[in-house]
mmCIF file of all heavy atoms in Angstrom:
data_model
loop_
_atom_site.group_PDB
_atom_site.id
_atom_site.type_symbol
_atom_site.label_atom_id
_atom_site.label_comp_id
_atom_site.label_asym_id
_atom_site.label_seq_id
_atom_site.Cartn_x
_atom_site.Cartn_y
_atom_site.Cartn_z
ATOM 1 N N HIS I 140 -16.703 0.633 -8.093
ATOM 2 C CA HIS I 140 -16.672 -0.705 -7.453
ATOM 3 C C HIS I 140 -15.335 -1.033 -6.885
ATOM 4 O O HIS I 140 -15.099 -2.139 -6.415
ATOM 5 C CB HIS I 140 -17.075 -1.801 -8.481
ATOM 6 C CG HIS I 140 -16.308 -1.787 -9.795
ATOM 7 N ND1 HIS I 140 -15.109 -1.035 -9.985
ATOM 8 C CD2 HIS I 140 -16.501 -2.300 -11.057
ATOM 9 C CE1 HIS I 140 -14.696 -1.162 -11.172
ATOM 10 N NE2 HIS I 140 -15.521 -2.001 -11.885
ATOM 11 N N CYS I 179 -22.266 -0.280 -11.754
ATOM 12 C CA CYS I 179 -21.679 -1.477 -10.897
ATOM 13 C C CYS I 179 -22.327 -1.472 -9.526
ATOM 14 O O CYS I 179 -22.651 -2.639 -9.018
ATOM 15 C CB CYS I 179 -20.174 -1.280 -10.771
ATOM 16 S SG CYS I 179 -19.638 0.416 -10.213
ATOM 17 N N ALA I 182 -25.660 -3.066 -9.789
ATOM 18 C CA ALA I 182 -25.697 -4.505 -10.178
ATOM 19 C C ALA I 182 -25.317 -5.420 -9.048
ATOM 20 O O ALA I 182 -25.675 -6.638 -9.069
ATOM 21 C CB ALA I 182 -24.641 -4.706 -11.282
ATOM 22 N N CYS I 183 -24.880 -4.929 -7.963
ATOM 23 C CA CYS I 183 -24.421 -5.861 -6.889
ATOM 24 C C CYS I 183 -25.523 -6.606 -6.221
ATOM 25 O O CYS I 183 -26.439 -5.937 -5.658
ATOM 26 C CB CYS I 183 -23.622 -5.073 -5.893
ATOM 27 S SG CYS I 183 -22.959 -6.106 -4.550
ATOM 28 N N PRO I 184 -25.492 -7.930 -6.269
ATOM 29 C CA PRO I 184 -26.657 -8.700 -5.761
ATOM 30 C C PRO I 184 -26.852 -8.535 -4.244
ATOM 31 O O PRO I 184 -27.958 -8.766 -3.724
ATOM 32 C CB PRO I 184 -26.363 -10.154 -6.157
ATOM 33 C CG PRO I 184 -25.215 -10.114 -7.072
ATOM 34 C CD PRO I 184 -24.501 -8.797 -6.946
ATOM 35 N N THR I 185 -25.845 -8.275 -3.573
ATOM 36 C CA THR I 185 -25.879 -8.242 -2.091
ATOM 37 C C THR I 185 -25.737 -6.878 -1.418
ATOM 38 O O THR I 185 -25.468 -6.789 -0.208
ATOM 39 C CB THR I 185 -24.738 -9.153 -1.527
ATOM 40 O OG1 THR I 185 -23.504 -8.783 -2.134
ATOM 41 C CG2 THR I 185 -25.024 -10.674 -1.694
ATOM 42 N N ASP I 186 -25.732 -5.851 -2.282
ATOM 43 C CA ASP I 186 -25.599 -4.436 -1.687
ATOM 44 C C ASP I 186 -24.289 -4.299 -1.003
ATOM 45 O O ASP I 186 -24.335 -3.843 0.229
ATOM 46 C CB ASP I 186 -26.744 -4.022 -0.864
ATOM 47 C CG ASP I 186 -27.981 -3.870 -1.698
ATOM 48 O OD1 ASP I 186 -27.886 -3.323 -2.846
ATOM 49 O OD2 ASP I 186 -29.123 -4.139 -1.210
ATOM 50 N N ALA I 187 -23.240 -4.685 -1.578
ATOM 51 C CA ALA I 187 -21.929 -4.748 -0.782
ATOM 52 C C ALA I 187 -21.236 -3.377 -0.822
ATOM 53 O O ALA I 187 -20.187 -3.306 -0.254
ATOM 54 C CB ALA I 187 -21.046 -5.864 -1.387
ATOM 55 N N PHE I 188 -21.784 -2.343 -1.567
ATOM 56 C CA PHE I 188 -21.193 -1.084 -1.577
ATOM 57 C C PHE I 188 -21.930 -0.104 -0.678
ATOM 58 O O PHE I 188 -22.986 0.435 -0.989
ATOM 59 C CB PHE I 188 -21.228 -0.513 -3.039
ATOM 60 C CG PHE I 188 -20.462 -1.316 -3.988
ATOM 61 C CD1 PHE I 188 -21.163 -2.072 -4.913
ATOM 62 C CD2 PHE I 188 -19.060 -1.421 -3.955
ATOM 63 C CE1 PHE I 188 -20.482 -2.858 -5.895
ATOM 64 C CE2 PHE I 188 -18.380 -2.172 -4.839
ATOM 65 C CZ PHE I 188 -19.070 -2.918 -5.802
ATOM 66 N N LEU I 194 -16.119 -0.800 -0.607
ATOM 67 C CA LEU I 194 -16.716 -2.218 -0.567
ATOM 68 C C LEU I 194 -16.600 -2.787 0.800
ATOM 69 O O LEU I 194 -15.514 -2.678 1.449
ATOM 70 C CB LEU I 194 -15.841 -3.066 -1.481
ATOM 71 C CG LEU I 194 -16.269 -4.474 -1.525
ATOM 72 C CD1 LEU I 194 -17.476 -4.692 -2.366
ATOM 73 C CD2 LEU I 194 -15.109 -5.401 -1.987
ATOM 74 N N ARG I 198 -20.188 -8.450 2.802
ATOM 75 C CA ARG I 198 -21.417 -8.827 2.017
ATOM 76 C C ARG I 198 -21.013 -9.220 0.548
ATOM 77 O O ARG I 198 -21.928 -9.469 -0.237
ATOM 78 C CB ARG I 198 -22.309 -7.397 1.803
ATOM 79 C CG ARG I 198 -22.880 -7.038 3.150
ATOM 80 C CD ARG I 198 -23.844 -5.946 3.063
ATOM 81 N NE ARG I 198 -25.115 -6.412 2.318
ATOM 82 C CZ ARG I 198 -26.120 -7.003 2.971
ATOM 83 N NH1 ARG I 198 -26.087 -7.206 4.260
ATOM 84 N NH2 ARG I 198 -27.173 -7.415 2.295
ATOM 85 N N CYS I 199 -19.764 -9.187 0.247
ATOM 86 C CA CYS I 199 -19.350 -9.424 -1.158
ATOM 87 C C CYS I 199 -19.292 -10.914 -1.457
ATOM 88 O O CYS I 199 -18.568 -11.707 -0.742
ATOM 89 C CB CYS I 199 -17.971 -8.739 -1.370
ATOM 90 S SG CYS I 199 -17.294 -9.186 -3.053
ATOM 91 N N ILE I 200 -19.896 -11.338 -2.522
ATOM 92 C CA ILE I 200 -19.985 -12.769 -2.832
ATOM 93 C C ILE I 200 -18.633 -13.332 -3.172
ATOM 94 O O ILE I 200 -18.272 -14.499 -2.907
ATOM 95 C CB ILE I 200 -20.919 -13.011 -4.008
ATOM 96 C CG1 ILE I 200 -22.396 -12.550 -3.613
ATOM 97 C CG2 ILE I 200 -20.914 -14.453 -4.510
ATOM 98 C CD1 ILE I 200 -23.352 -12.509 -4.755
ATOM 99 N N SER I 201 -17.706 -12.472 -3.675
ATOM 100 C CA SER I 201 -16.405 -12.889 -3.865
ATOM 101 C C SER I 201 -15.742 -13.342 -2.582
ATOM 102 O O SER I 201 -15.127 -14.365 -2.508
ATOM 103 C CB SER I 201 -15.593 -11.892 -4.603
ATOM 104 O OG SER I 201 -14.307 -12.217 -4.802
ATOM 105 N N TYR I 202 -15.863 -12.498 -1.587
ATOM 106 C CA TYR I 202 -15.325 -12.763 -0.267
ATOM 107 C C TYR I 202 -15.980 -14.060 0.285
ATOM 108 O O TYR I 202 -15.364 -15.052 0.750
ATOM 109 C CB TYR I 202 -15.454 -11.612 0.718
ATOM 110 C CG TYR I 202 -15.296 -12.105 2.153
ATOM 111 C CD1 TYR I 202 -13.923 -12.242 2.663
ATOM 112 C CD2 TYR I 202 -16.357 -12.253 2.929
ATOM 113 C CE1 TYR I 202 -13.821 -12.719 3.961
ATOM 114 C CE2 TYR I 202 -16.194 -12.777 4.244
ATOM 115 C CZ TYR I 202 -14.882 -12.946 4.742
ATOM 116 O OH TYR I 202 -14.680 -13.407 5.997
ATOM 117 N N ARG I 222 -23.885 -18.316 -7.968
ATOM 118 C CA ARG I 222 -22.438 -17.894 -7.967
ATOM 119 C C ARG I 222 -21.778 -18.775 -6.998
ATOM 120 O O ARG I 222 -21.892 -18.578 -5.786
ATOM 121 C CB ARG I 222 -22.322 -16.438 -7.674
ATOM 122 C CG ARG I 222 -23.058 -15.502 -8.652
ATOM 123 C CD ARG I 222 -23.142 -14.005 -8.068
ATOM 124 N NE ARG I 222 -23.948 -13.185 -8.931
ATOM 125 C CZ ARG I 222 -25.312 -13.232 -8.928
ATOM 126 N NH1 ARG I 222 -25.962 -13.993 -8.126
ATOM 127 N NH2 ARG I 222 -25.985 -12.481 -9.793
ATOM 128 N N GLY I 225 -16.311 -16.743 -6.522
ATOM 129 C CA GLY I 225 -16.193 -15.375 -6.970
ATOM 130 C C GLY I 225 -17.445 -14.781 -7.572
ATOM 131 O O GLY I 225 -18.545 -15.385 -7.533
ATOM 132 N N CYS I 226 -17.286 -13.587 -8.047
ATOM 133 C CA CYS I 226 -18.459 -12.856 -8.677
ATOM 134 C C CYS I 226 -17.881 -11.796 -9.628
ATOM 135 O O CYS I 226 -16.872 -11.107 -9.288
ATOM 136 C CB CYS I 226 -19.247 -12.222 -7.434
ATOM 137 S SG CYS I 226 -20.585 -11.184 -8.011
ATOM 138 N N ASP I 227 -18.535 -11.690 -10.779
ATOM 139 C CA ASP I 227 -18.119 -10.699 -11.700
ATOM 140 C C ASP I 227 -19.163 -9.713 -12.037
ATOM 141 O O ASP I 227 -19.011 -8.891 -12.953
ATOM 142 C CB ASP I 227 -17.753 -11.444 -13.050
ATOM 143 C CG ASP I 227 -16.473 -12.143 -12.914
ATOM 144 O OD1 ASP I 227 -15.606 -11.796 -12.228
ATOM 145 O OD2 ASP I 227 -16.339 -13.186 -13.646
ATOM 146 N N ASP I 228 -20.290 -9.646 -11.359
ATOM 147 C CA ASP I 228 -21.366 -8.870 -11.751
ATOM 148 C C ASP I 228 -21.064 -7.348 -11.872
ATOM 149 O O ASP I 228 -21.294 -6.665 -12.846
ATOM 150 C CB ASP I 228 -22.565 -8.928 -10.740
ATOM 151 C CG ASP I 228 -23.232 -10.339 -10.832
ATOM 152 O OD1 ASP I 228 -22.543 -11.307 -11.037
ATOM 153 O OD2 ASP I 228 -24.453 -10.407 -10.743
ATOM 154 N N CYS I 229 -20.345 -6.825 -10.831
ATOM 155 C CA CYS I 229 -19.980 -5.393 -10.823
ATOM 156 C C CYS I 229 -18.934 -5.038 -11.965
ATOM 157 O O CYS I 229 -18.983 -3.929 -12.513
ATOM 158 C CB CYS I 229 -19.496 -4.879 -9.494
ATOM 159 S SG CYS I 229 -18.134 -5.681 -8.752
ATOM 160 N N LEU I 230 -18.177 -6.057 -12.330
ATOM 161 C CA LEU I 230 -17.134 -5.818 -13.367
ATOM 162 C C LEU I 230 -17.835 -5.926 -14.705
ATOM 163 O O LEU I 230 -17.551 -5.057 -15.621
ATOM 164 C CB LEU I 230 -16.051 -6.941 -13.313
ATOM 165 C CG LEU I 230 -14.932 -6.711 -12.325
ATOM 166 C CD1 LEU I 230 -15.351 -6.861 -10.786
ATOM 167 C CD2 LEU I 230 -13.834 -7.725 -12.548
HETATM 168 S S1 LIG V 2 -18.067 -8.938 -6.720
HETATM 169 FE FE1 LIG V 2 -20.260 -9.289 -6.764
HETATM 170 S S2 LIG V 2 -20.934 -9.302 -4.646
HETATM 171 FE FE2 LIG V 2 -18.870 -8.437 -4.682
HETATM 172 S S3 LIG V 2 -19.203 -6.152 -4.883
HETATM 173 FE FE3 LIG V 2 -19.019 -6.946 -6.960
HETATM 174 S S4 LIG V 2 -21.189 -7.433 -7.565
HETATM 175 FE FE4 LIG V 2 -21.149 -7.147 -5.384
#
Side-chain angles (χ1 to χ4, degrees):
H140 53 14
C179 51
C183 179
T185 49
D186 289 325
F188 299 109
L194 175 77
R198 297 189 69 83
C199 175
I200 296 169
S201 180
Y202 165 78
R222 296 166 189 81
C226 172
D227 287 327
D228 289 38
C229 56
L230 279 68

